[in-house]
Amino acid sequence: MGGYISSQSVKKIIEINPYMLGTMAGGAADCQFWHRNLGIKCRLHELANKRRISVTGASKLLANILYSYRGMGLSVGTMIAGWDEKGPGLYYVDSEGGRLKGTKFSVGSGSPYAYGVLDSGYKYDLTIDEAAELARRAIYHATFRDGASGGVASVYHVGPNGWTKLSGDDVGELHYSYYPVEPAVVEQEMTEAVVA
Amino acid sequence: MTKEHANWSPYDNNGGTCVAIAGADYCVIAADTRMSTGYSILTRDYSKICKLADKSFMASSGFQADVKALQKVLSSRHLIYQHQHNKQMSCPAMAQLLSNTLYYKRFFPYYAFNVLGGLDSEGKGCVFTYDAVGSYERVGYSAQGSGATLITPFLDNQLKSPSPLLLPAKDAVTPLSEAEAVDLVKTCFASATERDIYTGDSVEIIILNANGVRRESEQLRKD
């Protein structure tokens, strides 16, 4: 069953709360459950402290939980993206217990291909539209080369007022805009054989 | 140096296939009634479908002992919910309860491949599909079990359900009528029975709509 595609419509961007998103790579159930659990803990933090939790704090909550299950077989490769008092925040967290702060990440089986596109086009001062287009292209190229990636490429934006979904495109359709077919130069055209 | 492996497995696979299709104002949930172990048939007349709430039916293939335990846990949790809230659980709420129930046994899973079908609070059909440890999503149709790999490509071709991730959002439920959907399900099982040894005998079909519940049964090949 390893090569079977169970679904082309899995939500890999998980809405933890209206101003924080988590991405899914690895075990679907592990990511879904622990992101939902993180959302609960973030809400409890708000109720206990009368203020929103920071992205630093939320990512650390998740990382500490995953570290405590280290070696037990959980498979989680996630990015926590959000907006707090310090501005935008992005952390990479995984089930080995790793937690890294950064400005750009790519996670999953298609990540090397996405990194290629991401690294060559990235600048810190991209506009929102430019950044969304770069992200969309990076995902598309990953789905093109990695057999385990495909389906729909979703793009979200996280701002001071929370997240919004910018686009959701079938990568089969994106192919025709990103990989246009150049009309081939005809070297030798076949003609009907002359019957004597 | 190699680790000693157990001579005994707590799991068995009783085979079988489950399908569910969501429509604009109905939901069809179906499962074959064959229960097997290895190359033997244990019974030709076993129901894999369980009513969890007025508008939620779960069909499960896999290890039927785990399925029975899962059905009992969910039914009792629903009863407690009814005592505490004085109403039936909605289908999306039951869907999340099932997900959490499966994940609580993350390190000794229920060997159950589930499809939950029902009507949401607006009366539209909803189908939720699961893996063994609780990851779930709402879809327009789903098949699980031994015949799933045979049925799903056929449903992809016939139903062409657009992904719920697309923006602008498109409706995932099929535009087919209830009668057409039931006929499609019967066709799915007839085809799967031809090529999957664990699917056959008969198919039990539950149709949920605004008027209530209806049950149909269709004979399948018994070989």
PDB file of all heavy atoms in Angstrom, chain B residues 78-102:
ATOM      1  N   HIS B  78     -21.676   8.636  22.946  1.00  0.00           N
ATOM      2  CA  HIS B  78     -22.824   9.381  22.416  1.00  0.00           C
ATOM      3  C   HIS B  78     -23.954   9.417  23.428  1.00  0.00           C
ATOM      4  O   HIS B  78     -24.630  10.439  23.595  1.00  0.00           O
ATOM      5  CB  HIS B  78     -23.313   8.759  21.098  1.00  0.00           C
ATOM      6  CG  HIS B  78     -24.431   9.539  20.481  1.00  0.00           C
ATOM      7  ND1 HIS B  78     -25.656   8.981  20.172  1.00  0.00           N
ATOM      8  CD2 HIS B  78     -24.524  10.846  20.142  1.00  0.00           C
ATOM      9  CE1 HIS B  78     -26.454   9.918  19.666  1.00  0.00           C
ATOM     10  NE2 HIS B  78     -25.781  11.061  19.636  1.00  0.00           N
ATOM     11  N   LEU B  79     -24.140   8.299  24.120  1.00  0.00           N
ATOM     12  CA  LEU B  79     -25.190   8.254  25.150  1.00  0.00           C
ATOM     13  C   LEU B  79     -24.909   9.261  26.264  1.00  0.00           C
ATOM     14  O   LEU B  79     -25.809   9.986  26.712  1.00  0.00           O
ATOM     15  CB  LEU B  79     -25.268   6.826  25.725  1.00  0.00           C
ATOM     16  CG  LEU B  79     -26.459   6.500  26.616  1.00  0.00           C
ATOM     17  CD1 LEU B  79     -27.758   6.706  25.867  1.00  0.00           C
ATOM     18  CD2 LEU B  79     -26.365   5.060  27.104  1.00  0.00           C
ATOM     19  N   ILE B  80     -23.640   9.337  26.667  1.00  0.00           N
ATOM     20  CA  ILE B  80     -23.253  10.311  27.701  1.00  0.00           C
ATOM     21  C   ILE B  80     -23.512  11.734  27.202  1.00  0.00           C
ATOM     22  O   ILE B  80     -24.045  12.582  27.919  1.00  0.00           O
ATOM     23  CB  ILE B  80     -21.760  10.137  28.068  1.00  0.00           C
ATOM     24  CG1 ILE B  80     -21.544   8.798  28.748  1.00  0.00           C
ATOM     25  CG2 ILE B  80     -21.274  11.277  28.954  1.00  0.00           C
ATOM     26  CD1 ILE B  80     -20.094   8.391  28.898  1.00  0.00           C
ATOM     27  N   TYR B  81     -23.148  11.988  25.933  1.00  0.00           N
ATOM     28  CA  TYR B  81     -23.388  13.311  25.324  1.00  0.00           C
ATOM     29  C   TYR B  81     -24.865  13.666  25.366  1.00  0.00           C
ATOM     30  O   TYR B  81     -25.251  14.782  25.709  1.00  0.00           O
ATOM     31  CB  TYR B  81     -22.883  13.298  23.876  1.00  0.00           C
ATOM     32  CG  TYR B  81     -23.037  14.622  23.142  1.00  0.00           C
ATOM     33  CD1 TYR B  81     -21.980  15.526  23.095  1.00  0.00           C
ATOM     34  CD2 TYR B  81     -24.219  14.953  22.470  1.00  0.00           C
ATOM     35  CE1 TYR B  81     -22.096  16.724  22.407  1.00  0.00           C
ATOM     36  CE2 TYR B  81     -24.351  16.153  21.790  1.00  0.00           C
ATOM     37  CZ  TYR B  81     -23.291  17.036  21.766  1.00  0.00           C
ATOM     38  OH  TYR B  81     -23.415  18.216  21.089  1.00  0.00           O
ATOM     39  N   GLN B  82     -25.712  12.652  25.038  1.00  0.00           N
ATOM     40  CA  GLN B  82     -27.161  12.901  25.055  1.00  0.00           C
ATOM     41  C   GLN B  82     -27.647  13.224  26.470  1.00  0.00           C
ATOM     42  O   GLN B  82     -28.496  14.091  26.670  1.00  0.00           O
ATOM     43  CB  GLN B  82     -27.921  11.676  24.536  1.00  0.00           C
ATOM     44  CG  GLN B  82     -27.850  11.541  23.028  1.00  0.00           C
ATOM     45  CD  GLN B  82     -28.613  10.335  22.546  1.00  0.00           C
ATOM     46  OE1 GLN B  82     -28.105   9.218  22.576  1.00  0.00           O
ATOM     47  NE2 GLN B  82     -29.815  10.538  22.111  1.00  0.00           N
ATOM     48  N   HIS B  83     -27.119  12.516  27.478  1.00  0.00           N
ATOM     49  CA  HIS B  83     -27.494  12.810  28.862  1.00  0.00           C
ATOM     50  C   HIS B  83     -27.074  14.216  29.249  1.00  0.00           C
ATOM     51  O   HIS B  83     -27.806  14.931  29.920  1.00  0.00           O
ATOM     52  CB  HIS B  83     -26.833  11.804  29.828  1.00  0.00           C
ATOM     53  CG  HIS B  83     -27.450  10.441  29.756  1.00  0.00           C
ATOM     54  ND1 HIS B  83     -26.721   9.295  29.895  1.00  0.00           N
ATOM     55  CD2 HIS B  83     -28.733  10.043  29.559  1.00  0.00           C
ATOM     56  CE1 HIS B  83     -27.516   8.240  29.801  1.00  0.00           C
ATOM     57  NE2 HIS B  83     -28.746   8.674  29.584  1.00  0.00           N
ATOM     58  N   GLN B  84     -25.876  14.634  28.818  1.00  0.00           N
ATOM     59  CA  GLN B  84     -25.339  15.923  29.261  1.00  0.00           C
ATOM     60  C   GLN B  84     -25.903  17.105  28.476  1.00  0.00           C
ATOM     61  O   GLN B  84     -25.989  18.202  28.997  1.00  0.00           O
ATOM     62  CB  GLN B  84     -23.809  15.910  29.145  1.00  0.00           C
ATOM     63  CG  GLN B  84     -23.173  14.964  30.151  1.00  0.00           C
ATOM     64  CD  GLN B  84     -21.667  14.861  29.983  1.00  0.00           C
ATOM     65  OE1 GLN B  84     -21.135  15.172  28.927  1.00  0.00           O
ATOM     66  NE2 GLN B  84     -20.994  14.393  31.016  1.00  0.00           N
ATOM     67  N   HIS B  85     -26.234  16.906  27.190  1.00  0.00           N
ATOM     68  CA  HIS B  85     -26.620  18.032  26.344  1.00  0.00           C
ATOM     69  C   HIS B  85     -28.062  17.978  25.860  1.00  0.00           C
ATOM     70  O   HIS B  85     -28.520  18.889  25.190  1.00  0.00           O
ATOM     71  CB  HIS B  85     -25.685  18.112  25.128  1.00  0.00           C
ATOM     72  CG  HIS B  85     -24.262  18.314  25.498  1.00  0.00           C
ATOM     73  ND1 HIS B  85     -23.715  19.553  25.701  1.00  0.00           N
ATOM     74  CD2 HIS B  85     -23.267  17.414  25.744  1.00  0.00           C
ATOM     75  CE1 HIS B  85     -22.445  19.416  26.035  1.00  0.00           C
ATOM     76  NE2 HIS B  85     -22.142  18.126  26.070  1.00  0.00           N
ATOM     77  N   ASN B  86     -28.756  16.900  26.162  1.00  0.00           N
ATOM     78  CA  ASN B  86     -30.167  16.739  25.795  1.00  0.00           C
ATOM     79  C   ASN B  86     -30.397  16.859  24.290  1.00  0.00           C
ATOM     80  O   ASN B  86     -31.393  17.411  23.844  1.00  0.00           O
ATOM     81  CB  ASN B  86     -31.022  17.780  26.545  1.00  0.00           C
ATOM     82  CG  ASN B  86     -32.495  17.399  26.542  1.00  0.00           C
ATOM     83  OD1 ASN B  86     -32.843  16.221  26.405  1.00  0.00           O
ATOM     84  ND2 ASN B  86     -33.368  18.383  26.671  1.00  0.00           N
ATOM     85  N   LYS B  87     -29.447  16.410  23.511  1.00  0.00           N
ATOM     86  CA  LYS B  87     -29.651  16.371  22.059  1.00  0.00           C
ATOM     87  C   LYS B  87     -28.679  15.374  21.435  1.00  0.00           C
ATOM     88  O   LYS B  87     -27.721  14.932  22.070  1.00  0.00           O
ATOM     89  CB  LYS B  87     -29.446  17.755  21.427  1.00  0.00           C
ATOM     90  CG  LYS B  87     -28.055  18.335  21.571  1.00  0.00           C
ATOM     91  CD  LYS B  87     -27.931  19.659  20.826  1.00  0.00           C
ATOM     92  CE  LYS B  87     -26.503  20.153  20.878  1.00  0.00           C
ATOM     93  NZ  LYS B  87     -26.307  21.395  20.124  1.00  0.00           N
ATOM     94  N   GLN B  88     -28.950  15.045  20.166  1.00  0.00           N
ATOM     95  CA  GLN B  88     -28.087  14.131  19.423  1.00  0.00           C
ATOM     96  C   GLN B  88     -26.806  14.851  18.995  1.00  0.00           C
ATOM     97  O   GLN B  88     -26.818  16.056  18.757  1.00  0.00           O
ATOM     98  CB  GLN B  88     -28.809  13.662  18.147  1.00  0.00           C
ATOM     99  CG  GLN B  88     -30.045  12.828  18.386  1.00  0.00           C
ATOM    100  CD  GLN B  88     -29.725  11.346  18.417  1.00  0.00           C
ATOM    101  OE1 GLN B  88     -28.865  10.892  17.683  1.00  0.00           O
ATOM    102  NE2 GLN B  88     -30.424  10.615  19.253  1.00  0.00           N
ATOM    103  N   MET B  89     -25.715  14.097  18.886  1.00  0.00           N
ATOM    104  CA  MET B  89     -24.466  14.681  18.364  1.00  0.00           C
ATOM    105  C   MET B  89     -24.599  14.914  16.876  1.00  0.00           C
ATOM    106  O   MET B  89     -25.186  14.091  16.176  1.00  0.00           O
ATOM    107  CB  MET B  89     -23.316  13.685  18.559  1.00  0.00           C
ATOM    108  CG  MET B  89     -22.417  13.995  19.724  1.00  0.00           C
ATOM    109  SD  MET B  89     -21.194  12.723  19.904  1.00  0.00           S
ATOM    110  CE  MET B  89     -19.738  13.640  19.606  1.00  0.00           C
ATOM    111  N   SER B  90     -24.049  16.050  16.390  1.00  0.00           N
ATOM    112  CA  SER B  90     -24.048  16.291  14.952  1.00  0.00           C
ATOM    113  C   SER B  90     -22.982  15.399  14.302  1.00  0.00           C
ATOM    114  O   SER B  90     -22.060  14.942  14.982  1.00  0.00           O
ATOM    115  CB  SER B  90     -23.725  17.750  14.662  1.00  0.00           C
ATOM    116  OG  SER B  90     -22.393  18.032  15.022  1.00  0.00           O
ATOM    117  N   CYS B  91     -23.108  15.199  12.986  1.00  0.00           N
ATOM    118  CA  CYS B  91     -22.158  14.327  12.291  1.00  0.00           C
ATOM    119  C   CYS B  91     -20.719  14.856  12.363  1.00  0.00           C
ATOM    120  O   CYS B  91     -19.813  14.078  12.649  1.00  0.00           O
ATOM    121  CB  CYS B  91     -22.610  14.109  10.845  1.00  0.00           C
ATOM    122  SG  CYS B  91     -21.799  12.707  10.058  1.00  0.00           S
ATOM    123  N   PRO B  92     -20.477  16.178  12.126  1.00  0.00           N
ATOM    124  CA  PRO B  92     -19.102  16.670  12.261  1.00  0.00           C
ATOM    125  C   PRO B  92     -18.539  16.510  13.671  1.00  0.00           C
ATOM    126  O   PRO B  92     -17.340  16.272  13.837  1.00  0.00           O
ATOM    127  CB  PRO B  92     -19.219  18.153  11.886  1.00  0.00           C
ATOM    128  CG  PRO B  92     -20.419  18.227  11.027  1.00  0.00           C
ATOM    129  CD  PRO B  92     -21.360  17.206  11.560  1.00  0.00           C
ATOM    130  N   ALA B  93     -19.380  16.603  14.690  1.00  0.00           N
ATOM    131  CA  ALA B  93     -18.902  16.417  16.070  1.00  0.00           C
ATOM    132  C   ALA B  93     -18.520  14.961  16.290  1.00  0.00           C
ATOM    133  O   ALA B  93     -17.475  14.646  16.878  1.00  0.00           O
ATOM    134  CB  ALA B  93     -19.978  16.845  17.070  1.00  0.00           C
ATOM    135  N   MET B  94     -19.364  14.046  15.784  1.00  0.00           N
ATOM    136  CA  MET B  94     -19.067  12.614  15.904  1.00  0.00           C
ATOM    137  C   MET B  94     -17.781  12.290  15.156  1.00  0.00           C
ATOM    138  O   MET B  94     -16.988  11.454  15.589  1.00  0.00           O
ATOM    139  CB  MET B  94     -20.237  11.805  15.333  1.00  0.00           C
ATOM    140  CG  MET B  94     -20.097  10.311  15.484  1.00  0.00           C
ATOM    141  SD  MET B  94     -19.958   9.760  17.178  1.00  0.00           S
ATOM    142  CE  MET B  94     -21.672   9.723  17.657  1.00  0.00           C
ATOM    143  N   ALA B  95     -17.558  12.985  14.024  1.00  0.00           N
ATOM    144  CA  ALA B  95     -16.358  12.756  13.222  1.00  0.00           C
ATOM    145  C   ALA B  95     -15.105  13.051  14.031  1.00  0.00           C
ATOM    146  O   ALA B  95     -14.128  12.287  14.011  1.00  0.00           O
ATOM    147  CB  ALA B  95     -16.397  13.623  11.961  1.00  0.00           C
ATOM    148  N   GLN B  96     -15.121  14.165  14.771  1.00  0.00           N
ATOM    149  CA  GLN B  96     -13.939  14.506  15.571  1.00  0.00           C
ATOM    150  C   GLN B  96     -13.798  13.555  16.760  1.00  0.00           C
ATOM    151  O   GLN B  96     -12.686  13.199  17.144  1.00  0.00           O
ATOM    152  CB  GLN B  96     -13.999  15.957  16.049  1.00  0.00           C
ATOM    153  CG  GLN B  96     -12.712  16.330  16.752  1.00  0.00           C
ATOM    154  CD  GLN B  96     -12.361  17.780  16.626  1.00  0.00           C
ATOM    155  OE1 GLN B  96     -12.374  18.343  15.539  1.00  0.00           O
ATOM    156  NE2 GLN B  96     -12.044  18.391  17.745  1.00  0.00           N
ATOM    157  N   LEU B  97     -14.943  13.129  17.333  1.00  0.00           N
ATOM    158  CA  LEU B  97     -14.884  12.172  18.455  1.00  0.00           C
ATOM    159  C   LEU B  97     -14.226  10.875  18.008  1.00  0.00           C
ATOM    160  O   LEU B  97     -13.388  10.308  18.717  1.00  0.00           O
ATOM    161  CB  LEU B  97     -16.297  11.891  18.980  1.00  0.00           C
ATOM    162  CG  LEU B  97     -16.386  10.857  20.118  1.00  0.00           C
ATOM    163  CD1 LEU B  97     -15.652  11.329  21.353  1.00  0.00           C
ATOM    164  CD2 LEU B  97     -17.840  10.566  20.453  1.00  0.00           C
ATOM    165  N   LEU B  98     -14.587  10.432  16.801  1.00  0.00           N
ATOM    166  CA  LEU B  98     -13.989   9.207  16.270  1.00  0.00           C
ATOM    167  C   LEU B  98     -12.483   9.388  16.078  1.00  0.00           C
ATOM    168  O   LEU B  98     -11.683   8.518  16.430  1.00  0.00           O
ATOM    169  CB  LEU B  98     -14.663   8.818  14.951  1.00  0.00           C
ATOM    170  CG  LEU B  98     -14.071   7.646  14.159  1.00  0.00           C
ATOM    171  CD1 LEU B  98     -13.924   6.394  14.998  1.00  0.00           C
ATOM    172  CD2 LEU B  98     -14.928   7.344  12.947  1.00  0.00           C
ATOM    173  N   SER B  99     -12.099  10.556  15.545  1.00  0.00           N
ATOM    174  CA  SER B  99     -10.668  10.835  15.334  1.00  0.00           C
ATOM    175  C   SER B  99      -9.897  10.769  16.647  1.00  0.00           C
ATOM    176  O   SER B  99      -8.848  10.128  16.745  1.00  0.00           O
ATOM    177  CB  SER B  99     -10.507  12.215  14.706  1.00  0.00           C
ATOM    178  OG  SER B  99      -9.144  12.596  14.687  1.00  0.00           O
ATOM    179  N   ASN B 100     -10.431  11.423  17.681  1.00  0.00           N
ATOM    180  CA  ASN B 100      -9.735  11.424  18.976  1.00  0.00           C
ATOM    181  C   ASN B 100      -9.706  10.035  19.593  1.00  0.00           C
ATOM    182  O   ASN B 100      -8.697   9.625  20.173  1.00  0.00           O
ATOM    183  CB  ASN B 100     -10.416  12.407  19.930  1.00  0.00           C
ATOM    184  CG  ASN B 100     -10.100  13.844  19.581  1.00  0.00           C
ATOM    185  OD1 ASN B 100      -9.014  14.137  19.096  1.00  0.00           O
ATOM    186  ND2 ASN B 100     -11.036  14.731  19.817  1.00  0.00           N
ATOM    187  N   THR B 101     -10.820   9.288  19.462  1.00  0.00           N
ATOM    188  CA  THR B 101     -10.875   7.925  20.011  1.00  0.00           C
ATOM    189  C   THR B 101      -9.807   7.048  19.376  1.00  0.00           C
ATOM    190  O   THR B 101      -9.120   6.277  20.059  1.00  0.00           O
ATOM    191  CB  THR B 101     -12.262   7.300  19.766  1.00  0.00           C
ATOM    192  OG1 THR B 101     -13.260   8.180  20.262  1.00  0.00           O
ATOM    193  CG2 THR B 101     -12.407   5.958  20.469  1.00  0.00           C
ATOM    194  N   LEU B 102      -9.648   7.181  18.052  1.00  0.00           N
ATOM    195  CA  LEU B 102      -8.632   6.391  17.363  1.00  0.00           C
ATOM    196  C   LEU B 102      -7.237   6.813  17.813  1.00  0.00           C
ATOM    197  O   LEU B 102      -6.374   5.964  18.046  1.00  0.00           O
ATOM    198  CB  LEU B 102      -8.767   6.556  15.845  1.00  0.00           C
ATOM    199  CG  LEU B 102     -10.008   5.944  15.209  1.00  0.00           C
ATOM    200  CD1 LEU B 102     -10.152   6.416  13.772  1.00  0.00           C
ATOM    201  CD2 LEU B 102      -9.965   4.427  15.246  1.00  0.00           C
TER     202      LEU B 102
END
